[in-house]
Amino acid sequence: MNKAFVRESDGDDEEELQATPSLPAGTRNYITPAGHARLRDELEELVKRERPRIVDIVAWAASNGDRSENGDYIYGKRRLREIDRRIRFLTKRLELAEVVDPLRQGDNDQVFFGARVTVADSDGNESTYIIVGVDEADAAVGRISWISPLARALIKARCGDAIRFQSPVGPRDLDIVEVRYETID
């Protein structure tokens, strides 16, 4: 069958959709100023530097003749699709973005978006989490998305409150030790 009638897919669309955190229906994409700057910088890097560089490589490879066995051409086109997919994703995320500055919370002892919250479990072990946007979440460094079960349990609680939430290992009880608002890097 002629390739013109077959849609080639390398499966990247499905992988990106699964790897991309989704937002609850009808909500804005809350994000800190630092997270917004990172997404904007990545978009600018892709549009102004990376994509034009790859377009030049593909144009050069196409001028070499037979494209069916031309690795530079084939892999360049694949990379262009990846870049274009990421550009579309970043553009949509930035359009939905609502920048929330944690410093505007002031000296609040209640937990909201952008809070740095220290909690203690029943054994007295303390952990600190920062409530950030879905595109900034990184559990390894204590940044949790505002839509995560822990963040939802923490939001609107105050310093000294006890909360209960459903963790992957079952229900957990935590005491809120400290709530701070500061610039997030």
Side-chain angles (χ1 to χ4, degrees), residues 30-178:
Y30 297 112
I31 192 166
T32 64
H36 188 265
R38 277 192 295 276
L39 290 181
R40 195 180 57 243
D41 291 346
E42 181 183 355
L43 179 61
E44 186 176 322
E45 172 69 23
L46 289 173
V47 170
K48 292 185 177 175
R49 291 178 219 28
E50 183 72 12
R51 191 173 195 290
R53 186 177 67 77
I54 299 297
V55 166
D56 288 343
I57 291 171
V58 170
W60 169 81
S63 71
N64 287 336
D66 184 16
R67 296 177 185 171
S68 65
E69 295 180 12
N70 186 331
D72 288 330
Y73 179 80
I74 293 168
Y75 294 117
K77 292 292 282 184
R78 180 176 294 155
R79 179 67 182 135
L80 273 178
R81 284 192 304 272
E82 292 168 0
I83 290 170
D84 288 342
R85 192 172 16 258
R86 184 67 180 168
I87 287 171
R88 282 191 307 275
F89 171 78
L90 291 170
T91 301
K92 287 179 187 176
R93 281 298 221 230
L94 288 169
E95 285 173 3
L96 292 173
E98 186 168 320
V99 180
V100 178
D101 190 354
L103 294 178
R104 298 185 96 195
Q105 295 294 338
D107 221 6
N108 199 344
D109 71 339
Q110 196 170 12
V111 179
F112 292 109
F113 183 87
R116 181 181 303 267
V117 184
T118 303
V119 296
D121 63 13
S122 57
D123 296 332
N125 299 322
E126 290 189 359
S127 301
T128 301
Y129 301 99
I130 303 170
I131 300 175
V132 296
V134 294
D135 298 314
E136 307 171 85
D138 184 357
V141 294
R143 293 174 188 242
I144 59 172
S145 165
W146 66 275
I147 63 173
S148 69
L150 176 56
R152 287 184 180 255
L154 288 170
I155 289 179
K156 294 189 179 175
R158 296 184 180 279
C159 189
D161 287 353
I163 62 151
R164 174 173 228 153
F165 79 102
Q166 186 66 33
S167 76
V169 295
R172 288 189 60 200
D173 295 314
L174 298 173
D175 295 320
I176 299 175
V177 176
E178 182 182 30

Side-chain angles (χ1 to χ4, degrees), residues 1-8:
M1 178 178 257
N2 188 332
K3 281 188 174 183
F5 298 107
V6 179
R7 173 170 159 66
E8 292 184 22

